[in-house]
């Protein structure tokens, strides 16, 4: 259902700039308007689903969407998951977990993994086995996001105590 503001480009721009999902309620012609769609996906990458088909395949629009919501990388084709610019955009903006959707060559790329762990220290679990086994690299990642590692350490300690208690209960 198109709203009154959804018929006017200026009003639509104002709305979708602060709530990208509102793109759903604009006219078809505004869903095909590059400026309106770019404003929407820059705020909410998943607003891409409401864009015209032509703009859903537009590189600039897709890059803005992935920059906004890194998890969107998982829904894009392998062509984008193997594109360094897309992967860096996805993992750098507070969504290090997007590393899990990246092509394996980027999961083994120190710069990409470092960018992901800067965003979320626990993203290291999606790095290649080689990088996870590189003590110096892991320590570098830990220094960049100590709070995440502290929480992970606390959870591991708690899990260890639970496992220890279970093994004692078995006797």
């Amino acid at each position: 259902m198109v709203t009154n503001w959804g018929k006017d480009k200026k009003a639509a721009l104002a709305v979708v700039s602060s709530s990208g999902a509102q793109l759903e309620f604009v006219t078809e012609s505004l869903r095909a308007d590059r400026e309106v769609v770019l404003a929407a996906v820059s705020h909410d990458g998943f607003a891409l689903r409401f864009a015209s088909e032509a703009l859903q395949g537009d590189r600039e629009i897709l890059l803005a969407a992935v920059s906004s919501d890194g998890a969107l990388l998982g829904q894009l084709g392998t062509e984008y998951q193997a594109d360094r610019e897309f992967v860096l955009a996805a993992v750098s903006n507070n969504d290090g977990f997007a590393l899990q959707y990246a092509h394996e060559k980027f999961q083994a790329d120190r710069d990409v993994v470092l960018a992901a762990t800067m965003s979320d220290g626990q993203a290291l679990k999606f790095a290649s086995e080689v990088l996870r086994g590189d003590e110096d690299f892991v320590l570098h990642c830990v220094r960049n996001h100590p709070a995440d590692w502290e929480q992970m350490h606390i959870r591991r300690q708690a899990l260890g105590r639970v496992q220890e208690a279970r093994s004692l209960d078995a006797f």
Side-chain angles (χ1 to χ4, degrees):
M1 180 171 123
V2 175
T3 63
N4 284 339
W5 59 262
K7 298 173 185 172
D8 175 69
K9 181 175 178 175
K10 187 175 179 181
L13 271 169
V15 172
V16 302
S17 292
S18 62
S19 179
Q22 297 300 311
L23 186 61
E24 178 179 11
F25 303 109
V26 304
T27 63
E28 288 298 320
S29 64
L30 289 177
R31 289 180 190 202
D33 184 288
R34 174 180 221 62
E35 185 180 7
V36 172
V37 172
L38 194 55
V41 300
S42 293
H43 182 269
D44 177 359
F46 286 96
L48 181 65
R49 68 185 180 270
F50 303 120
S52 70
E53 194 173 318
L55 289 180
Q56 286 182 15
D58 181 277
R59 183 175 176 86
E60 181 185 4
I61 299 289
L62 289 171
L63 190 57
V66 166
S67 294
S68 174
D69 284 302
L72 188 60
L73 185 64
Q75 295 181 14
L76 298 182
T78 55
E79 148 189 10
Y80 299 104
Q81 295 166 353
D83 184 306
R84 183 180 190 81
E85 186 177 16
F86 274 79
V87 172
L88 281 171
V91 302
S92 296
N93 294 323
N94 233 3
D95 202 351
F97 270 61
L99 183 61
Q100 68 187 303
Y101 305 117
H103 186 278
E104 64 186 27
K105 69 182 176 185
F106 295 120
Q107 294 172 345
D109 182 304
R110 289 178 179 277
D111 293 332
V112 172
V113 173
L114 187 58
T117 60
M118 292 287 286
S119 174
D120 186 330
Q122 294 183 45
L124 187 62
K125 69 183 174 184
F126 302 113
S128 69
E129 192 174 318
V130 170
L131 286 182
R132 287 193 319 264
D134 182 331
E135 190 174 323
D136 291 333
F137 182 73
V138 171
L139 288 173
H140 185 68
C141 292
V142 170
R143 278 188 229 112
N144 287 324
H145 236 285
D148 283 343
W149 294 97
E150 184 177 324
Q151 286 301 313
M152 196 173 353
H153 178 69
I154 290 168
R155 283 191 291 246
R156 280 194 179 130
Q157 285 180 328
L159 181 60
R161 287 192 294 271
V162 167
Q163 289 172 340
E164 187 178 317
R166 284 184 181 159
S167 67
L168 291 174
D169 286 343
F171 290 103

